[in-house]
Amino acid sequence: MALHIHEAWILLFVIPALVTPAAISHEDYPADEGDQASSNDNLIFDDYRGKGCVDDSGFVYKLGERFFPGHSNCPCVCTEDGPVCDQPECPKIHPKCTKVEHNGCCPECKEVKNFCEYHGKNYKILEEFKPSPCEWCRCEPSNEVHCVVADCAVPECVNPVYEPEQCCPVCKNGPNCFAGTTIIPAGIEVKVDDCNICHCHNGDWWKPAQCSKRECQGKQAL
């Protein structure tokens, strides 16, 4: 009886030794959350280098295809080195263009100034106007203002005046001239003092008057 008990103890020590860590499979245990997250970090994204080209909206074009990278870009051809785009010689924008759109390969002028600007005011094409009493102007189709200035004749008096809204000066008292410092009317002889009688030159109102000396009145006899 003692022999059987001794053999049983030997079996209890041998059986645990036969169960090794290698005998336990990892499939019997779920993976940790950290291990699952690390496996998702190794996603492979598409690489179109040498295979195609992508436009602004994310659309992919094959090699050799012609496409527009964006709405305001020039057309391009997809190559292994990337898009090769046209570089056209765009027409020049009019210097008086007031509205430019960039909706294509080249900018376009959508609105050209159709008025003239003169001294801070705007005028329509072919509109005539008078910025001053002596000027007559017109807005030309070229958006330039052409003016004509009135050429006033020489006034027939030595004291002309400018009236409102009139270009040239006028002689309100008629033709006259100077006799010394005195203004005398033209067409008549004027006695300017006790000894001199003067009259204006015919047509030469800017010249001094012609005077003749006569016997002085009030001269006392010697």
Side-chain angles (χ1 to χ4, degrees), residues 120-193:
K121 294 183 179 180
N122 294 336
Y123 300 92
K124 297 178 181 179
I125 299 296
L126 300 181
E127 181 180 357
E128 298 179 355
F129 58 97
K130 293 187 67 176
S132 70
C134 291
E135 289 180 288
W136 175 86
C137 302
R138 186 174 73 169
C139 175
E140 301 294 341
S142 61
N143 301 111
E144 296 179 351
V145 175
H146 289 173
C147 297
V148 176
V149 180
D151 186 13
C152 296
V154 178
E156 298 181 345
C157 59
V158 295
N159 57 348
V161 295
Y162 286 88
E163 295 288 347
E165 302 302 322
Q166 289 189 5
C167 173
C168 299
V170 296
C171 297
K172 296 188 70 173
N173 298 318
N176 55 36
C177 66
F178 278 114
T181 57
T182 303
I183 298 176
I184 62 174
I188 58 174
E189 291 186 344
V190 177
K191 187 176 182 181
V192 296
D193 55 33

Side-chain angles (χ1 to χ4, degrees), residues 158 177-180 184 198-201 204-211:
V158 295
C177 66
F178 278 114
I184 62 174
C198 304
H199 68 277
C200 295
H201 290 274
D204 298 333
W205 316 111
W206 62 91
K207 292 183 179 180
Q210 290 180 326
C211 298

Side-chain angles (χ1 to χ4, degrees), residues 1-2 4 9 16 32 36-37 45 58 62-63 74 79 82 94 109 115 120 132 138 146 164 186 211 213:
M1 182 67 180
H4 292 294
W9 277 103
D32 294 337
Q36 291 179 349
F45 294 95
K62 298 179 182 178
L63 295 178
C74 295
T79 70
H94 196 283
C109 179
F115 60 89
S132 70
R138 186 174 73 169
H146 289 173
C211 298
K213 189 172 287 190

